[in-house]
Amino acid sequence: MIGQGVIGQAISRTDGPIKVTGRAAYSAERQDAGPTLHGYILGAGIGKGRVARIDIAAAEAAPGVRLVWTHENAPEQGPAEGIEGDMMDRTRPELASDRINYYGMPIAFVVAESFEEARAAAGLITVEYEVEAGAFALDGFGPNLNWRRPSQAGDIDKAMREGPVTVEQTYSTPYHFSQPMELHACIADWRDGHLHLYLTAQMVNQLTTGLGKTLRLDPSAISIDSAYVGGGFGSKIVLHCEAVLASLATMALGQPVKLMLTRRQIFTLVGHRPASISRVRLAATPDGRLTALGHDALIQVRTDDAWDEGVSSVGKALYASPNRLTRQAHQALDVQPGEPVRGPGELPGLMVLESAMDELAEKLGIDPVELRLRNDTQIDPDKRLPLSGRRLADCLREGAEQFGWCDRPTIPASRRDGRWLVGYGVASSMRGHYQTSAEVLVRIEPDGLVIVRSDMTDIGTGTHTIVAQVVAEALGVPMSQIKVELAHTKHPKGNGAGGSWGAANTTVAADRACAALRQRIAAVAGTSYNDIFAEVRRHFPDGLEERGRTLDNKDDPNYQTHAQYTYGASFAEVGVDIDTGEVRLRRMLGVFAAGRILNAKTARSQLIGGMIWGVSAALQEAGALDPRHGHWVNGDFAEYLIPTHADIPAIDAIMLEDFDDKANHLGVKGIGELGAGGTGGSVANAVYNATGVRVRDFPITLAKLLPGLPGR
Amino acid sequence: MKPFSYERAASPAEAVEAAVARPGARFIAGGTNLLDLMKLGIEAPQHLIDVNRLWLDTIEPTAEGGLRIGALVRNADLAADRRVRRDYAVLARALVSGASGQLRNKATTAGNLMQRTRCPYFYNTDMPCNKRRPGSGCAAIGGLTHNLAVLGVSDACIATHPSDMCVALRALDASVETVGVGGRTRSIPIADFHRLPGDRPDIETALEPGELITAVTLPAPLGGVQLYRKVRERASYAFANVTVALVAREGQMVRLAFGGLAAKPWRVEVAEGGADPDLAADLALAGATPTEDNAYKLPLARRTLKATLAQATEVRS
Amino acid sequence: MTATPRLPVTLSVNGETHVLTLDPRVTLLDALREHLLLTGTKKGCDQGQCGACTVLVNGRRINSCLSLAVMHEGDEISTIEGLGTPEALHPMQAAFVTHDGFQCGYCTPGQILSSLAVIEEIRAGVPSHVTDDLEAPIPLSDQEIRERMSGNLCRCAAYPNIMAAIRDYLGEGA
């Protein structure tokens, strides 16, 4: 694949062959450190309180055991830090006190010669607890709430009073877990005063600050290598206990230590998407112009770690309304800290808001697509800036056409296909476009190889491939002569994979590095050369390298003049079993406008994957927290349901030809969250259309549908 | 997982002898349930007796016109057996509605009978559970009980039995053949094989210490339309909310059993024989003690029965 | 401190014989990953709930996490490493690449081994939950394949693309 026109093409992943043959080594599979010792964590068996007594004698005496740590004998670490400042930079001391702040919190750590020995020894530790009453249930809106993130215009209370058509409803969304297929894992190898980590992480350089402070090491003494990452979805962004404990152990023992969390531990030792309760208020004129849009959200947090899931934020800029109020309040519970989970804020937020829009459309007697079109805007209602790339209407129109929306049953519960009640639903998607400062190095070797270096990770996002495509186009060299080296702290720092910003950051910086290289070559060879490698050989016999950089949003003038988002519309057809209430997706289409698409194949895959997250958020996923003990009742893959093959029919995603010149010079934005965005809402609305039953407490399960289902 | 010693038994008699001789011994065949529970510390055998090489993996006709299914016949093989598909469709359908292809390739007939509950409080060793530690209490009562039992529960336990296969076996009046101490063999009717919790939920079956399942016997075929309807919250690879095993003839419910409702497959014989599913549901579900979380199972069981009977009638016509 | 007792076991993996001495607690999955360094077989849950550890034992797919290594003396075990190489992909592996039947790649070896086994199971007449007629030949329909692939979870949710890959493979003359 040579030169122009490489960007955007549906090129197969360059790391495909090693992944499909099992040759890609994920963190716990790395052999770089040689044979390792094995760690195992014992988690607290209560939700809140303290360790009154812990006896490790039997564990210490067990075969193969090399160390057993509790709060009584663990190495001293940097103290826990407050919630001010960047969550990425905080310390994460483990086994630092007798306090138990959440169920499953590490209270002991065993290292042994084998995994079997470590796990068995952990089982020999006896613990006595002092149990304290914890707060484990989200109550709902109480009085005296401390409202945060308010975005306001006009007088929403007045507009709601005046109507004339209003919707005011309460919705709730549950805890979600990212649960990537690769278990969180770390091999730590302390060697000659340097700490080498093979860690499953979405960002690498970012982790060295907090880890360094925790371990009392200079960040420069820490290397992190995350060459292959088996999915992240937000759960591998912040520092977790596996990195800290494996590091402490290798530093104490002088031998490499491997620590892989168990699947059940990932439900407690890695954060979740907080549960939320929303009150949505909408008012409209009879012809469907919104006069009020309100979204109050109550978000679960921890007192000492306020990950603020932005459930209400999507209402700021999705539709125009003269009277508007979005805000959120917190309720602190005694569970582990919340963390980013794919589609933070907008996945639950859009599911709620777009359900309410569907309720309004029905009250108005206006087609749900039409209602959304009537409230489109070109000005960001919150920032009061022009919106760049605002193509929500295009997505809705194209989707309606391609999906056959005109065939939608206009009366709920009116269409049958055998035992199935059939319904259609639509919802809008939106996701902010973010860019941060990032640097990428591109080096041309005289022998005919281009090397790209960045600490960006490829968590299944296709980064290896899209970066090579951009560089191939920029330098006019074949993909086969480009080597993309990622995911190591030794490479130039970007912002990793997360928040849908990795693709734009990395490719824009890579393209700028290529531009600088072309300039350097042009300065000595002109611009009409045929073989870039020949020119490099002639003029730069040692090779030639340049670094390209992107600006952080706050330094980017375009970001001050234009509000930047990506957009989409999703259309779902579901069947609901008239007897049992089982819901099955029948087909689904997403249409997206997300800037220039770098690779039509990998982008489509990622969007479809995101859409399936929306499907399962609407129908299946919900972390169940025991309100008495504070533990996750359904903390495994048999009980926390994510979709299987059988749940997912053919799904398609259409990417509109797009280019957002305000985002960056490549016109590129992110797509990682966008697919998940409003998809849940389209499924929820399709269920209502099929059954006439509106479930406002997600997910929509058969038990909630049954009471309202029509008879046979 | 605690250390254990391991041996391979060469004959059923040898396996039984070993089990009696070694305290804390357990038989292991497919291992798909036992190993999971051992990793979590719920089961901690000191000695494992591998019974996979006992040649109990054939399906033979019986003199009574039924089938004798070896204890080690894998779930996938049992479902694929031509005679089972033809004459015992409810069993074939129940088998393939459970677990995944991989698990069905490994799980055995006897192991499926011995499957333990998926009650999430049983699975969490930090919680009291009368099954795991008799007398410690039941954390499920008063907890999140969405998929726990509504029938046959006790103050000590509200767990459900997870098996699909056993529901079909109950509808078919299977019996469980065993060999015990001293080579004593017996045949346990499936109705008596699984126990309701009562005040000893840790005692789940009628097996005695060391007793080994050697086969499951099916009586002569019942004929009729045989259906197994499993209702669950995802399309596959999930435990049931409710299941219905139904053998119907001319619109009459010849056999009827429910899964997902109790600590054992739930069959109420007086509910059978009629053509009115509402009446059958009234009789079968009488005495239910649901919680707020799982009360949905009662209307769901009724609706599923109606739908399954209607389907049986359609198949016939 | 007493040593952990170990047992000799001979494993035949991808046609190669390995003589090991293992703690009887070692699962087949951990024997492959930790002792034979065949890390293509993935640990996704270690509980039989995800299918990432799928291998073929005597031609049949199982979850290697729920089986002890010592129970596999004499069995022929096939893992992803025995299927194709990056330079010479098996046609199913090539179809997964062409149709982007994965993103992160972690569940992929299990998906690929399962997809090959599923085709054999359908051809052998093993029924599934969605098989209407238990006595007729079973069609290689999308519905049958999806149901049978459901023991392999994919959190990237590459399901539609995996189906496209399997269909392509079947079309290519399997």
Side-chain angles (χ1 to χ4, degrees):
Chain A
M1 208 67 71
I2 293 188
Q4 264 68 59
V6 187
I7 293 180
Q9 285 195 21
I11 295 170
S12 294
R13 283 167 208 269
T14 55
D15 53 356
I18 61 166
K19 282 185 171 174
V20 299
T21 54
R23 265 69 166 182
Y26 298 78
S27 302
E29 300 163 357
R30 297 290 292 265
Q31 306 300 327
D32 307 64
T36 68
L37 299 170
H38 297 262
Y40 197 87
I41 293 168
L42 178 67
I46 63 168
K48 188 179 185 183
R50 56 179 290 273
V51 176
R53 203 182 66 83
I54 186 160
D55 183 350
I56 60 172
E60 285 185 312
V65 170
R66 299 292 296 276
L67 68 77
V68 183
W69 280 339
T70 69
H71 68 279
E72 291 169 350
N73 64 345
E76 200 174 321
Q77 299 151 69
E81 295 171 338
I83 58 175
E84 313 77 34
D86 192 334
M87 72 172 184
M88 295 302 298
D89 293 341
R90 277 176 227 153
T91 57
R92 182 162 177 147
E94 297 293 340
L95 307 172
S97 86
D98 61 352
R99 289 296 313 165
I100 294 166
N101 297 329
Y102 56 89
Y103 177 85
M105 182 175 170
I107 57 168
F109 181 54
V110 179
V111 177
E113 281 160 25
S114 76
F115 168 66
E116 294 76 19
E117 290 167 331
R119 181 176 57 190
L124 297 174
I125 297 170
T126 56
V127 193
E128 284 171 25
Y129 298 105
E130 238 174 64
V131 183
E132 294 169 21
F136 304 121
L138 202 58
D139 299 326
F141 295 100
N144 307 320
L145 290 169
N146 177 19
W147 291 108
R148 296 151 197 268
R149 297 203 201 187
S151 168
Q152 189 166 5
D155 184 342
I156 188 167
D157 293 327
K158 181 162 171 281
M160 286 299 290
R161 281 194 303 274
E162 289 172 357
V165 182
T166 61
V167 167
E168 178 166 352
Q169 289 292 352
T170 302
Y171 303 82
S172 56
T173 66
Y175 299 97
H176 290 155
F177 291 91
S178 291
Q179 297 297 333
M181 295 310 297
E182 184 202 9
L183 299 164
H184 288 61
C186 180
I187 293 174
D189 183 19
W190 177 249
R191 204 170 281 251
D192 305 323
H194 194 92
L195 181 65
H196 301 266
L197 296 189
Y198 306 92
L199 179 70
T200 178
Q202 293 178 235
M203 304 175 181
V204 292
N205 270 307
Q206 282 72 10
L207 293 178
T208 59
T209 308
L211 185 60
K213 283 190 290 181
T214 307
L215 302 174
R216 301 182 187 283
L217 278 181
D218 192 278
S220 66
I222 302 172
S223 299
I224 301 177
D225 181 344
S226 303
Y228 293 98
V229 180
F233 316 112
S235 75
K236 294 169 179 173
I237 291 178
V238 304
L239 183 63
H240 291 117
C241 61
E242 77 278 10
V244 174
L245 288 168
S247 297
L248 290 169
T250 187
M251 291 167 72
L253 294 167
Q255 272 179 265
V257 173
K258 180 188 295 193
L259 175 56
M260 226 176 164
L261 302 187
T262 69
R263 182 56 67 186
R264 288 176 76 89
Q265 285 174 337
I266 294 176
F267 283 86
T268 65
L269 296 177
V270 175
H272 55 278
R273 185 200 310 281
S276 75
I277 299 172
S278 287
R279 182 174 62 141
V280 179
R281 291 181 287 170
L282 299 174
T285 59
D287 66 345
R289 314 274 165 193
L290 283 172
T291 55
L293 190 163
H295 191 162
D296 297 341
L298 181 70
I299 313 291
Q300 175 269 320
V301 296
R302 271 193 65 81
T303 40
D304 60 352
D305 200 315
W307 167 256
D308 186 19
E309 180 87 15
V311 174
S312 70
S313 300
V314 290
K316 285 189 211 172
L318 185 57
Y319 301 119
S321 172
N323 304 289
R324 195 171 45 76
L325 175 62
T326 61
R327 56 187 180 171
Q328 46 196 60
H330 293 173
Q331 184 189 342
L333 299 184
D334 295 301
V335 297
Q336 77 260 35
E339 284 181 23
V341 174
R342 194 178 202 171
E346 70 265 20
L347 187 150
L350 282 164
M351 199 155 68
V352 163
L353 183 60
E354 289 294 89
S355 290
M357 283 294 281
D358 201 60
E359 301 204 42
L360 180 65
E362 187 179 37
K363 269 198 167 178
L364 288 163
I366 294 176
D367 181 278
V369 172
E370 182 56 31
L371 176 65
R372 286 165 174 82
L373 291 172
R374 285 186 195 171
N375 291 285
D376 194 14
T377 176
Q378 293 298 321
I379 302 292
D380 184 324
D382 175 51
K383 296 179 184 162
R384 299 177 194 281
L385 293 173
L387 289 157
S388 75
R390 171 81 182 193
R391 298 189 60 194
L392 177 61
D394 292 345
C395 294
L396 286 162
R397 287 198 184 95
E398 177 74 11
E401 172 74 25
Q402 298 292 330
F403 186 77
W405 180 251
C406 56
D407 188 35
R408 166 185 180 261
T410 48
I411 299 165
S414 64
R415 185 169 296 173
R416 282 284 291 275
D417 176 8
R419 66 186 170 102
W420 298 100
L421 294 160
V422 178
Y424 287 16
V426 66
S428 305
S429 290
M430 188 175 80
R431 162 76 190 177
H433 167 67
Y434 304 102
Q435 261 171 241
T436 48
S437 57
E439 185 176 286
V440 173
L441 179 145
V442 180
R443 177 174 173 81
I444 306 176
E445 299 283 4
D447 63 357
L449 186 67
V450 176
I451 299 173
V452 188
R453 293 193 176 114
S454 159
D455 77 344
M456 172 68 180
T457 56
D458 187 338
I459 59 173
T461 40
T463 317
H464 285 102
T465 314
I466 58 170
V467 170
Q469 285 176 268
V470 168
V471 171
E473 178 136 342
L475 295 180
V477 301
M479 292 271 290
S480 58
Q481 282 175 268
I482 298 167
K483 189 175 173 204
V484 180
E485 297 179 353
L486 300 177
H488 197 295
T489 43
K490 69 187 175 190
H491 297 323
K493 183 177 174 181
N495 240 282
S500 298
W501 59 39
N505 277 345
T506 314
T507 57
V508 167
D511 191 65
R512 292 203 171 116
C514 293
L517 286 167
R518 286 197 312 266
Q519 266 191 347
R520 293 276 304 275
I521 296 165
V524 292
T527 53
S528 57
Y529 51 84
N530 286 325
D531 180 352
I532 195 167
F533 294 110
E535 301 305 325
V536 169
R537 268 194 301 277
R538 185 174 311 133
H539 302 288
F540 307 95
D542 297 330
L544 180 63
E545 66 184 45
E546 281 291 343
R547 290 166 188 255
R549 290 175 187 85
T550 54
L551 289 177
D552 195 276
N553 284 148
K554 67 180 188 315
D555 304 318
D556 183 347
N558 283 340
Y559 210 73
Q560 317 310 320
T561 57
H562 287 79
Q564 298 169 14
Y565 296 89
T566 53
Y567 298 93
S570 78
F571 294 80
E573 178 183 332
V574 303
V576 180
D577 188 300
I578 193 167
D579 300 304
T580 65
E582 289 163 290
V583 184
R584 299 290 181 255
L585 185 69
R586 291 160 70 98
R587 65 192 179 102
M588 174 170 259
L589 174 69
V591 180
F592 302 97
R596 188 179 186 184
I597 295 302
L598 293 163
N599 181 320
K601 185 183 290 194
T602 57
R604 177 177 174 276
S605 299
Q606 206 179 351
L607 288 165
I608 287 175
M611 290 164 70
I612 294 170
W613 275 58
V615 175
S616 67
L619 301 178
Q620 295 177 340
E621 287 188 49
L625 186 67
D626 186 290
R628 306 159 304 166
H629 306 295
H631 70 278
W632 298 105
V633 175
N634 59 345
D636 63 31
F637 274 154
E639 306 292 333
Y640 181 85
L641 299 181
I642 64 171
T644 66
H645 276 275
D647 293 281
I648 302 302
I651 288 181
D652 206 359
I654 295 171
M655 294 159 282
L656 299 182
E657 184 135 347
D658 198 28
F659 188 101
D660 191 337
D661 64 346
K662 300 297 183 295
N664 50 59
H665 77 275
L666 289 180
V668 176
K669 297 188 279 193
I671 55 166
E673 332 286 330
L674 181 63
T679 307
S682 71
V683 174
N685 297 337
V687 171
Y688 175 77
N689 185 240
T691 61
V693 182
R694 179 71 67 180
V695 175
R696 300 185 184 90
D697 172 27
F698 292 101
I700 305 170
T701 57
L702 60 92
K704 297 172 192 170
L705 285 170
L706 270 181
L709 283 186
R712 264 186 96 77
Chain B
M1 193 190 292
K2 292 201 169 131
F4 53 82
S5 47
Y6 167 88
E7 73 175 289
R8 250 174 239 137
S11 72
E14 191 186 303
V16 171
E17 203 176 302
V20 175
R22 301 287 296 260
R26 290 292 305 267
F27 302 123
I28 185 165
T32 53
N33 191 214
L34 181 58
L35 275 173
D36 181 25
L37 295 171
M38 286 167 65
K39 288 178 186 186
L40 296 168
I42 297 164
E43 296 262 16
Q46 291 162 275
H47 184 65
L48 277 188
I49 304 162
D50 182 347
V51 295
N52 279 297
R53 301 180 196 215
L54 300 187
W55 308 106
L56 299 173
D57 56 355
T58 56
I59 304 172
E60 312 282 355
T62 65
E64 293 74 31
L67 282 183
R68 186 172 183 280
I69 302 157
L72 292 171
V73 173
R74 309 287 155 172
N75 289 175
D77 295 333
L78 183 55
D81 185 90
R82 190 180 48 78
R83 295 158 294 186
V84 173
R85 283 186 279 135
R86 186 187 61 209
D87 299 332
Y88 304 96
V90 66
L91 175 58
R93 293 195 186 283
L95 282 161
V96 296
S97 72
S100 68
Q102 289 94 315
L103 290 165
R104 293 192 295 268
N105 275 340
K106 203 83 178 64
T108 63
T109 307
N112 198 322
L113 283 165
M114 299 301 292
Q115 218 184 141
R116 304 198 69 187
T117 183
R118 307 300 298 206
C119 171
Y121 296 90
F122 169 76
Y123 259 75
N124 185 334
T125 51
D126 293 317
M127 295 291 130
C129 170
N130 289 318
K131 268 189 191 298
R132 267 189 282 106
R133 281 180 43 220
S136 63
C138 171
I141 294 173
L144 302 183
T145 57
H146 177 69
N147 218 8
L148 297 179
V150 295
L151 284 158
V153 299
S154 74
D155 291 342
C157 182
I158 57 171
T160 39
H161 197 268
S163 169
D164 293 295
M165 181 192 83
C166 294
V167 182
L169 291 183
R170 181 72 178 90
L172 293 170
D173 267 338
S175 34
V176 181
E177 290 180 29
T178 68
V179 57
V181 181
R184 189 174 71 95
T185 60
R186 62 170 175 153
S187 176
I188 307 167
I190 185 76
D192 302 332
F193 184 81
H194 295 107
R195 291 169 41 108
L196 287 176
D199 56 1
R200 287 301 300 275
D202 55 312
I203 304 173
E204 294 171 353
T205 71
L207 292 181
E208 286 162 12
E211 194 171 4
L212 175 74
I213 299 170
T214 52
V216 168
T217 306
L218 300 178
L222 284 169
V225 179
Q226 303 197 0
L227 297 174
Y228 188 79
R229 178 79 162 90
K230 181 172 185 175
V231 181
R232 46 186 160 180
E233 279 155 356
R234 71 179 175 193
S236 187
Y237 202 17
F239 292 96
N241 300 96
V242 164
T243 75
V244 170
L246 178 70
V247 179
R249 212 180 291 128
E250 310 283 327
Q252 306 280 311
M253 290 167 280
V254 178
R255 294 288 169 82
L256 169 63
F258 292 95
L261 297 181
K264 58 187 285 182
W266 196 254
R267 178 175 167 203
V268 175
E269 277 81 347
V270 295
E272 297 171 349
D276 178 356
D278 271 316
L279 181 59
D282 286 343
L283 292 166
L285 306 175
T289 50
T291 65
E292 196 182 326
D293 282 358
N294 64 23
Y296 76 93
K297 288 193 174 195
L298 296 170
L300 180 61
R302 179 181 298 267
R303 295 175 76 109
T304 308
L305 171 58
K306 279 191 198 178
T308 311
L309 183 61
Q311 190 191 343
T313 312
E314 284 161 27
V315 169
R316 187 177 53 93
S317 53
Chain C
M1 185 173 91
T2 51
T4 296
R6 292 185 157 75
L7 293 175
V9 59
T10 305
L11 292 181
S12 174
V13 183
N14 303 325
E16 235 180 278
T17 302
H18 303 268
V19 181
L20 298 168
T21 306
L22 294 178
D23 183 334
R25 293 173 292 184
V26 174
T27 60
L28 177 58
L29 171 62
D30 286 328
L32 293 169
R33 287 170 62 85
E34 301 292 337
H35 296 266
L36 301 177
L37 306 183
L38 292 170
T39 55
T41 307
K42 302 303 182 189
K43 184 180 278 193
C45 72
D46 216 16
Q47 291 186 278
Q49 297 172 353
C50 79
C53 68
T54 300
V55 300
L56 307 183
V57 173
N58 302 326
R60 296 162 62 116
R61 58 180 173 145
I62 68 160
N63 298 114
S64 61
C65 72
L66 288 185
S67 203
L68 296 172
V70 291
M71 294 168 73
H72 290 281
E73 181 92 35
D75 286 338
E76 182 50 55
I77 297 151
S78 309
T79 71
I80 193 73
E81 286 90 348
L83 203 59
T85 64
E87 297 73 32
L89 296 175
H90 180 280
M92 185 67 89
Q93 291 170 319
F96 267 65
V97 174
T98 303
H99 294 277
D100 215 26
F102 58 94
Q103 290 171 47
C104 81
Y106 198 77
C107 72
T108 311
Q111 299 278 357
I112 289 171
L113 289 173
S114 243
S115 62
L116 291 167
V118 159
I119 293 166
E120 292 311 309
E121 286 165 16
I122 292 174
R123 288 178 175 158
V126 178
S128 85
H129 174 61
V130 298
T131 307
D132 277 334
D133 184 342
L134 289 177
E135 296 181 71
I138 302 168
L140 273 163
S141 65
D142 288 359
Q143 199 193 9
E144 281 284 356
I145 295 169
R146 282 194 187 106
E147 160 59 23
R148 290 161 195 269
M149 289 297 292
S150 290
N152 292 82
L153 301 183
C154 173
R155 191 55 161 160
C156 299
Y159 298 131
N161 290 357
I162 293 171
M163 279 302 301
I166 296 173
R167 286 249 75 100
D168 185 5
Y169 170 83
L170 286 168
E172 273 176 16

